[in-house]
Amino acid sequence: MLAAASQGRHHGLLKTIVLTVIFAGFIGITYGFSMDLFSILIPDMMKSIGFNYVETGAVAGIARFGFLLASLLAGLLAPTIGYGRTIVGSVLLSLCAQIGMGVSHSVGMLYVLAFVLGVCSSAVYVPMVAVVTKSIPFQHRAKVFGIISSGQSYADFASGLLVASLLPKIGWRNIWFFIAVLGIAIATFSVFYLFRRGVIEKTVEVRTDVPDSDRSDIRKRLRAISNPQSMMIWLIMLASGLSTYPFQTYISPFVRDELGFSVDLAGGMWSAIGFVGMWGGFAMGFIADRAGIRTALTICYLAMSAASLLMFFHPSAPSLMAAAALYGLAYFSMYGLFPAYISKSFDPAASIFVFGVGNVLLGLSTTLGGFFGGFAKSVFGTFHPVYLSVSVVSLGLVFLTLFLKREGVNSSAAGTPSPVTAA
């Protein structure tokens, strides 16, 4: 019996590791290898296709609109379509759009492809909350989401290396094709594994009747709207977007144009953000699983506040690099801690709805944050008020985190933590 129990734990741990790697790869495909890659290739695509910065902004805006739309709809439709099928379908559609980027010859085509990439990036992440809630042991979820959210940083790091080494040799179109082929290879193994493990659901039969269990899931999603725990996490996600997006959006113009530092320093700051993000998600997830997600979020917001103050005072290049490192730790970690907290606090039916709404608010607040940063620069003639405001908002988030309930506060009859429902 002891041997059987040990073998069961071994297989459970192996499944946790494989699912984590697969989902991190999916995030890399739909985030780092999609619109992030577009950002890197913008100068070359502009020269080849013939569009300007206004149209570039429109492409980014359309992608953001697709992200917001999918954040809302994924929470409503994924339970019906199937969580696993929604995830895999989004990955495959994103790969098709990446190939489309490689053959695009007009800005109109870019609008369509950017919308698809935006939809896929959100539609792949939102259902993961439900799958992780169902498949990953309670005590490992924060670490798992920390690594999953860091998938974007790994892909960004790989994209930077590939573009730097291959762009002069094969051109931007073949870069898209190369990335898509790499993504197809990852997806092929992943889909096979997920199907074998039952994560990809079988085809749903069309039914005229609605089972009581489905009605119960709908009621749970609706009740989540009035749940104080839901509203608090939504408020925190909304405020988080206001702080993180302006910080990263204006790093290069602030450091290079306003402060007069070199291009190498600005590039080094982005490298520091990505490098710290590659391991920071797991580190903060480990802390969250041991000390609680509220503790980990508090550390992230304190790091954000410190990073913003370093940007505000900017006494030297090393202090700016330290600010970038602190930001990388906070940014990639908190975007894994949000779904981790939700997965530990709600059952699958409610968790995907809560995270979907939170993702919408997060997307809206990042848009507002970017607008606020540009408006502040135009009014004050400097980015200093932006970074001071980010520090103040981050400290306010430390205060809001105190009002979050500890995840898994309810206990089952056996005395082990179990997520609360949306009731």
Side-chain angles (χ1 to χ4, degrees):
M1 292 180 64
L2 291 176
S6 177
Q7 186 177 14
R9 286 193 297 270
H10 172 74
H11 286 308
L13 180 60
L14 180 61
K15 179 182 178 182
T16 296
I17 293 172
V18 175
L19 277 178
T20 302
V21 173
I22 287 175
F23 284 169
F26 285 171
I27 293 299
I29 291 172
T30 54
Y31 283 81
F33 290 160
S34 61
M35 287 306 294
D36 288 358
L37 181 61
F38 172 78
S39 298
I40 298 174
L41 296 175
I42 280 176
D44 305 277
M45 295 180 69
M46 287 178 64
K47 292 177 183 178
S48 177
I49 298 176
F51 58 93
N52 54 38
Y53 280 110
V54 174
E55 292 167 322
T56 300
V59 170
I62 289 173
R64 175 61 61 180
F65 174 74
F67 177 90
L68 294 174
L69 181 64
S71 294
L72 180 60
L73 295 181
L76 298 174
L77 299 179
T80 302
I81 298 172
Y83 302 124
R85 281 180 291 153
T86 302
I87 293 170
V88 170
S90 300
V91 172
L92 296 179
L93 186 59
S94 180
L95 290 170
C96 291
Q98 290 168 26
I99 295 173
M101 281 286 190
V103 300
S104 59
H105 287 86
S106 68
V107 69
M109 189 173 181
L110 291 181
Y111 291 154
V112 175
L113 294 171
F115 176 78
V116 172
L117 290 174
V119 167
C120 293
S121 63
S122 180
V124 77
Y125 199 20
V126 172
M128 284 184 185
V129 179
V131 175
V132 170
T133 303
K134 287 183 174 182
S135 306
I136 303 299
F138 184 90
Q139 66 271 23
H140 297 309
R141 289 178 193 166
K143 291 189 289 291
V144 166
F145 273 115
I147 296 173
I148 290 174
S149 67
S150 295
Q152 182 181 0
S153 66
Y154 286 101
D156 287 345
F157 184 76
S159 296
L161 294 178
L162 289 171
V163 170
S165 59
L166 296 180
L167 183 60
K169 300 176 183 178
I170 65 175
W172 68 268
R173 294 187 185 276
N174 286 322
I175 289 289
W176 279 110
F177 297 147
F178 183 88
I179 290 295
V181 170
L182 178 61
I184 290 170
I186 296 172
T188 300
F189 162 78
S190 301
V191 171
F192 177 76
Y193 178 86
L194 294 176
F195 184 80
R196 288 287 301 272
R197 289 290 177 177
V199 177
I200 302 177
E201 306 86 346
K202 295 180 180 179
T203 304
V204 177
E205 297 180 359
V206 178
R207 297 176 308 220
T208 57
D209 61 322
V210 181
D212 291 340
S213 60
D214 289 358
R215 293 194 183 97
S216 177
D217 287 349
I218 294 172
R219 285 195 295 268
K220 289 173 182 176
R221 291 196 293 270
L222 293 176
R223 289 173 183 171
I225 298 175
S226 60
N227 186 344
Q229 198 169 3
S230 304
M231 290 188 284
M232 182 54 65
I233 192 66
W234 289 339
L235 178 60
I236 289 174
M237 292 179 73
L238 179 70
S240 296
L242 291 173
S243 63
T244 56
Y245 196 72
F247 187 104
Q248 70 176 20
T249 301
Y250 300 108
I251 284 178
S252 293
F254 180 55
V255 171
R256 292 175 57 186
D257 299 338
E258 185 170 332
L259 301 183
F261 286 98
S262 66
V263 176
D264 291 339
L265 177 62
M269 291 178 68
W270 277 106
S271 297
I273 291 172
F275 178 76
V276 174
M278 291 169 69
W279 59 265
F282 174 78
M284 294 308 299
F286 182 84
I287 292 174
D289 281 330
R290 292 297 182 92
I293 294 178
R294 295 178 303 174
T295 301
L297 279 173
T298 299
I299 295 173
C300 288
Y301 293 132
L302 289 174
M304 270 294 303
S305 181
S308 303
L309 288 176
L310 285 172
M311 292 288 288
F312 180 78
F313 290 108
H314 55 80
S316 63
S319 69
L320 293 175
M321 289 294 292
L326 287 169
Y327 175 79
L329 174 66
Y331 176 75
F332 288 105
S333 298
M334 70 175 65
Y335 285 97
L337 293 172
F338 294 145
Y341 179 83
I342 292 169
S343 73
K344 285 190 170 188
S345 301
F346 299 90
D347 55 33
S351 66
I352 188 172
F353 177 78
V354 173
F355 186 59
V357 174
N359 237 16
V360 172
L361 296 175
L362 192 62
L364 288 173
S365 63
T366 57
T367 303
L368 291 175
F371 172 79
F372 163 76
F375 179 75
K377 169 66 174 176
S378 65
V379 172
F380 298 103
T382 174
F383 285 111
H384 282 88
V386 176
Y387 288 100
L388 183 61
S389 298
V390 169
S391 180
V392 172
V393 172
S394 299
L395 288 177
L397 281 163
V398 172
F399 176 74
L400 288 178
T401 303
L402 298 175
F403 291 92
L404 281 177
K405 295 180 181 179
R406 181 174 177 83
E407 62 276 11
V409 292
N410 286 5
S411 299
S412 64
T416 57
S418 62
V420 298
T421 66

